[in-house]
Amino acid sequence: MHIYKVCMTNCPTLIVTVGLPARGKTYISKKLTRYLNWIGVPTKEFNVGQYRRECVKIYKSFEFFSPDNEEGLKIRRHCAMAALNDVRQYLSVEGGQVAVFDATNTTRERRETIVKFAEQNGFKVFFVESVCEDPDVIAQNIVQVKLGSPDYIHCNTEEAIEDFMKRIKCYESSYQPLDENLDRDLSFIKIMDVGRRYLVNRVDHMQSRIVYYLMNIHITPRSIYLCRHGESDLNIKGRIGGDSGLSARGKEFARSLRKYIQDQKIKDLKVWTSQMKRTIQTAECLGVPYEQWKSLNEIDAGVCEEMMYEEIQEHYPLEFALRDQDKYRYRYPKGESYEDLVQRLEPVIMELERQENILVICHQAVMRCLLAYFLDKTADELPYLKCPLHTVLKLTPLAYGCKVESIYLGVDAVNTHRDRPECSVCTSLLKQAWQTSLIHSFSSYRTENIKKSRYVEESPIKSPPASDL
């Protein structure tokens, strides 16, 4: 007898891919995992194909996937259950909120097994099916992704393509797509022909965010250019934040950026900036239309705006130490944290996913957040990513990642990067800051109480007037 856990409103979600091979399931799984982790939802991908490769060290041919291959079916079933056991461990023990179960899951029987598993463990299930009949898209996927698979490292291109096409045939005979009538009680999104059409059924809040994201991504080849504004007057003075204009070298960079962009001959390039002077002045020099985004404004340093780090350490020693201890989650007094900034930039990421060639002229903290999304960096790594002034980063999205090219435009600038402090230094600074803070607090308390006692001693006690007695 199975004991079923009650599925609460905020219970973990199990995302399950569905579809024939070479339909972009792993592409979707990896992008979803990267996006959800970036917005702060602990997510992990479980690729059943990888479990199979660990179980069967040497791949021989498509015959392993034949529906008549009993041994192959037994191994594949074992690998799927091993992956589900790891899903249970991740969601129930390790604190994960979303698991992505990446496999074909083409039969209704297999999907029912997964649903039963989820019900027994108190997980919600959301199916993501990718359906594609376009032979050009399928062929492109095979060439770009599958030929680089460990299964085909010892094959030439023609042999690999032929074997993989036969592997697809093995699944086609038993494929049972999600059906809006037969599966009306399930939560799912059906993506048809790489986003030409969608069918969405029964989604909750988290699933609706996933649906919105999946409806914005595309596979059109493009490049994303990220750079900071030219060096500003406050950069030269070593002061953070503010809204100053460009220095002489900053203006020289803007001219160099114009030449670089012109030399690239980028088709239909769009340009985005923040609403701050230094990014607008940089874009103005390009001589092309640009769009301002308030969301791209630099992180708000609150009471520390336009201060030097040495001044912050002197006037706000506890704040300085706390920020060094957890830079991602630390929030400036009356300002923002990197965590806040990521939430502010989510609409920008959604729109970036919809765009083709684009140049984003932004700020150090903003560029770090955008870069962390595309490069799949953790919250711990994000605040220390190097984004130097007067350097363009060209990002080219690939099937399962992103290629990065760094182009320095040859104009000197100050270095605004602060390296991650050592843990021992952080602990020492925090201890000193607490002591300093306590001394200040005690001193203020004594001063205030002395003032109060003097007031009491100097104030004569008057008898109430007769009329009040």
Side-chain angles (χ1 to χ4, degrees), residues 95-108:
Q97 292 182 27
V98 176
V100 184
F101 186 72
D102 179 18
T104 53
N105 301 309
T106 47
T107 65
R108 194 158 277 110

Side-chain angles (χ1 to χ4, degrees), residues 63 105 111 116 155 237 289 309 325 340 380 399 402 443 446 450-451:
E63 291 175 355
N105 301 309
R111 297 196 290 269
K116 187 177 291 185
C155 296
K237 296 173 183 176
Y309 284 118
Q325 193 169 60
D340 297 329
D380 189 48
C402 197
S443 177
R446 282 192 71 226
I450 288 169
K451 287 180 180 177

